[in-house]
Amino acid sequence: MCAPPAPCPQEPAAEPQREAARLEAEIARLRRALETNAILDQAVGVLVAAGRLTPEQGWEELRETSRRLGIELRDLAERVVAWGGNGQLPTGLRARPGADTQGHAPDPACGGGAAR
């Protein structure tokens, strides 16, 4: 017969507290990521509907506009979602030069005009 395993040495009292704090931080980070993903998905949906784009084109438009205007992707997504809900474009988002605004829904990410 095998001998029973040796008992584990006792962990210092601070170790479970550190692990609990680490797990709480991880949970907070994951919640934030989940909320961000939801906002990004909603913004892509608004762009798809307003600009008659595919989801891939909507995602690319959101990323490109964020980069071009120097706005955090999540912040831009929140603005696009708000625009989709109330039709009011936040200040700071401008139309692309030469954008065609006749007969097309405005591109919420850029302040008006047709989406690419």
Side-chain angles (χ1 to χ4, degrees):
M1 280 197 142
C2 295
C8 293
Q10 292 293 331
E11 294 180 347
E15 185 59 33
Q17 291 173 345
R18 271 196 299 268
E19 180 67 5
R22 185 190 69 75
L23 291 172
E24 287 174 7
E26 174 92 2
I27 289 168
R29 185 187 65 76
L30 291 171
R31 281 187 179 143
R32 175 84 173 153
L34 186 61
E35 291 169 4
T36 295
N37 287 341
I39 291 291
L40 294 174
D41 286 345
Q42 291 170 24
V44 168
V46 169
L47 293 176
V48 167
R52 296 178 211 91
L53 306 172
T54 67
E56 293 79 18
Q57 290 169 324
W59 172 245
E60 185 58 34
E61 184 70 24
L62 192 65
R63 283 186 32 211
E64 177 59 27
T65 301
S66 169
R67 184 198 62 75
R68 187 175 64 250
L69 297 178
I71 299 172
E72 287 280 334
L73 190 59
R74 179 188 168 99
D75 293 342
L76 177 61
E78 288 173 344
R79 294 175 186 191
V80 169
V81 170
W83 175 85
N86 64 24
Q88 299 297 312
L89 186 65
T91 58
L93 298 181
R94 301 178 310 257
R96 278 176 276 179
D100 172 20
T101 59
Q102 294 187 349
H104 297 286
D107 180 351
C110 298
R116 285 188 256 184

